[in-house]
Amino acid sequence: MAGKPVRPASAIDQTRRMLSLVTYLRERPGARVEDVARAFGISEDELVSDLDVLPMCGTSFRGGDLLDIDTDGERIWWHNPDDVAEPLRIAADEATALLVAARAVSTLPGLRESDRQALLRATAKVEAAAGDAAGASSRLSVTFESEGGVFADVDRAISERRRLWIRYYSPARDEVTEREIDPIRLVSVGHTYVEAWCRRSEARRTFRLDRVAEIKILDEPSAPPEIELRDLSEGLVQPAAEDPEVVVEVGPGGRWVAEYYPHDSADELADGGLRITLRTPEPASLRRLALRLGRDGRIVSPPELADSARQAAREALAAYDGAEEQGAHGAHGVDGGQ
């Protein structure tokens, strides 16, 4: 129902559901979509989203033996349940990769203790089954970068319905701010984001996990207002049709812009750069981007924004030259007095 708060499942809860879904579908060939969704307490759209992921799963790390599951929108068919149900035999390199990954995940900060213990029990069973192949894994280790710890803390905060404090880098303003947020859900659209209610701006905001410089789970309960979750099937950022279009050309040293700024298109240029087209309700905010790029990029259109960016660059350069000249005069005066 529109306006009704939706409590999304955590990433771990979704994984549990999908594992159960495999067993459920194997026992019910041709199951109706609406019946399966009702049985798992999810919407039909959520179920279809799970079904889009399952065909990428299977019993082999090498790309074979994947689940052959499809749907016509009304019923769900699993075409190779017997093949997938055969006893799993993994090679030595597969056992090593699995054990190293499992041990690494078990060390993630913020992981719920029940999930950690379940993972350790499963790891012990894999070690026993792998025999000698498990030996190599004990000599390898993986350390997750900061995003892994951030993900675990956000997932835990969502599960326990607790507020988060974060220090967050905003590339549009080139600054780090401190915020308290009530997390709503984790989403993955190219990168992993947390959609949350931001107490600083008193509005819904989306934060990219790899831009979170620091994070703490607070004792305060998370209490976002009743808001309808957005449909992100068409992408995380969906500019309005009336938002002005901006074209930026960057050289090889400015390709990072396509990584950090949502855009409509990024076309390759002959010199190894990109011609990036994006839309924003505040084109003037991109002047700072032009200054950061320097010789690595320029705003092409709209013309008035390009002129404004060039003027800002000239003023910045003049201020820099003036400061240098003043410093040179000061140094000359000291030398002359000696």
Side-chain angles (χ1 to χ4, degrees):
M1 180 181 297
K4 182 179 180 181
V6 179
R7 177 56 55 184
S10 70
I12 294 176
D13 290 335
Q14 183 182 20
T15 301
R16 289 196 187 107
R17 182 180 72 228
M18 292 177 68
L19 290 173
S20 300
L21 186 59
V22 169
T23 301
Y24 185 95
L25 293 177
R26 186 174 189 275
E27 297 174 352
R28 297 168 177 81
R32 297 183 63 85
V33 170
E34 60 180 335
D35 294 337
V36 177
R38 188 183 307 111
F40 282 83
I42 58 177
S43 69
E44 293 184 21
D45 286 342
E46 288 176 303
L47 174 60
V48 171
S49 178
D50 286 350
L51 295 177
D52 288 339
V53 174
L54 283 177
M56 293 183 285
C57 305
T59 60
S60 172
F61 292 166
R62 296 187 173 91
D65 303 324
L66 299 179
L67 304 182
D68 186 7
I69 295 177
D70 64 38
T71 176
D72 59 5
E74 295 184 2
R75 294 183 178 274
I76 305 169
W77 302 97
W78 185 355
H79 301 292
N80 63 340
D82 294 333
D83 295 339
V84 176
E86 292 179 355
L88 176 63
R89 294 181 177 84
I90 58 178
D93 60 334
E94 293 176 323
T96 299
L98 181 60
L99 289 169
V100 169
R103 292 195 187 102
V105 171
S106 69
T107 64
L108 280 175
L111 187 65
R112 281 171 281 177
E113 188 58 28
S114 59
D115 293 321
R116 191 189 313 279
Q117 292 303 318
L119 181 58
L120 291 175
R121 288 194 297 271
T123 302
K125 292 179 181 179
V126 174
E127 286 179 331
D132 295 340
S137 67
S138 63
R139 298 189 292 273
L140 299 172
S141 64
V142 172
T143 301
F144 284 100
E145 296 296 333
S146 58
E147 184 176 338
V150 172
F151 181 96
D153 282 341
V154 173
D155 183 64
R156 177 183 169 193
I158 292 174
S159 174
E160 298 179 3
R161 302 189 181 187
R162 291 166 63 182
R163 186 170 297 176
L164 288 167
W165 172 88
I166 61 173
R167 291 181 63 243
Y168 186 75
Y169 171 67
S170 174
R173 292 186 295 274
D174 192 24
E175 65 178 3
V176 176
T177 58
E178 296 183 8
R179 304 164 183 261
E180 289 189 7
I181 63 172
D182 292 337
I184 299 172
R185 60 173 172 170
L186 283 160
V187 294
S188 181
V189 185
H191 295 276
T192 305
Y193 302 79
V194 56
E195 189 173 14
W197 185 261
C198 177
R199 293 295 169 179
R200 183 171 183 249
S201 58
E202 288 300 318
R204 173 166 45 191
R205 293 288 185 266
T206 304
F207 303 96
R208 199 166 119 177
L209 297 197
D210 62 354
R211 295 178 185 163
V212 176
E214 189 177 354
I215 185 169
K216 295 177 184 177
I217 301 177
L218 303 178
D219 291 333
E220 287 89 345
S222 174
E226 295 186 1
I227 54 177
E228 185 175 3
L229 294 182
R230 296 180 297 163
D231 178 11
L232 302 178
S233 60
E234 297 299 322
L236 187 68
V237 178
Q238 301 168 26
E242 62 271 16
D243 286 347
E245 183 179 88
V246 179
V247 178
V248 181
E249 288 188 354
V250 300
R255 293 179 68 94
W256 59 267
V257 173
E259 178 77 11
Y260 277 83
Y261 285 81
H263 54 275
D264 293 336
S265 64
D267 301 320
E268 294 285 345
L269 297 177
D271 64 353
L274 294 171
R275 182 182 178 90
I276 302 169
T277 302
L278 54 87
R279 283 177 290 161
T280 172
E282 299 179 11
S285 65
L286 295 179
R287 279 199 301 265
R288 184 187 295 270
L289 170 63
L291 292 175
R292 291 180 62 195
L293 285 169
R295 294 182 178 180
D296 284 327
R298 66 189 181 96
I299 295 175
V300 177
S301 68
E304 60 272 18
L305 179 58
D307 292 340
S308 174
R310 282 193 291 269
Q311 180 60 31
R314 283 193 290 267
E315 292 174 356
L317 184 59
Y320 175 78
D321 289 340
E324 266 201 339
E325 185 177 348
Q326 184 177 1
H329 283 313
H332 179 73
V334 170
D335 291 339
Q338 289 180 341

